[in-house]
Amino acid sequence: MSDQIKDDGGPAMPVPNVNNWYGLSLRDWFAGLAMQGMHTRDPELDFGDIAELAYEQADAMIETRKQ
């Protein structure tokens, strides 16, 4: 995994705070959905492998949204 900070896409479902927005990042939201789908399809997959693949997919989705 890279030490480079990834674009997290901002909050997925922003909640207003006094000076900022907070909440689950869009990257985490996308990765969670991807993990859910992968685990449903093959429950024997290693969670670490699923997590890596899910974040790769989330990063690709965020990059595609920028276009």
Side-chain angles (χ1 to χ4, degrees):
M1 179 169 253
S2 172
D3 289 338
Q4 181 181 0
I5 295 175
K6 299 279 185 181
D7 178 1
D8 70 2
M13 292 167 247
V15 177
N17 195 354
V18 175
N19 296 317
N20 205 345
W21 294 88
Y22 69 97
L24 184 69
S25 74
L26 192 56
R27 183 174 187 250
D28 289 335
W29 177 255
F30 284 162
L33 292 172
M35 285 182 74
Q36 185 177 31
M38 285 184 248
H39 185 67
T40 299
R41 185 169 182 199
D42 186 355
E44 300 301 316
L45 284 175
D46 177 73
F47 284 124
D49 292 339
I50 291 174
E52 277 189 47
L53 292 169
Y55 274 106
E56 286 177 25
Q57 188 173 7
D59 292 340
M61 292 172 74
I62 289 171
E63 285 303 313
T64 300
R65 287 180 82 234
K66 292 178 184 179
Q67 297 174 7

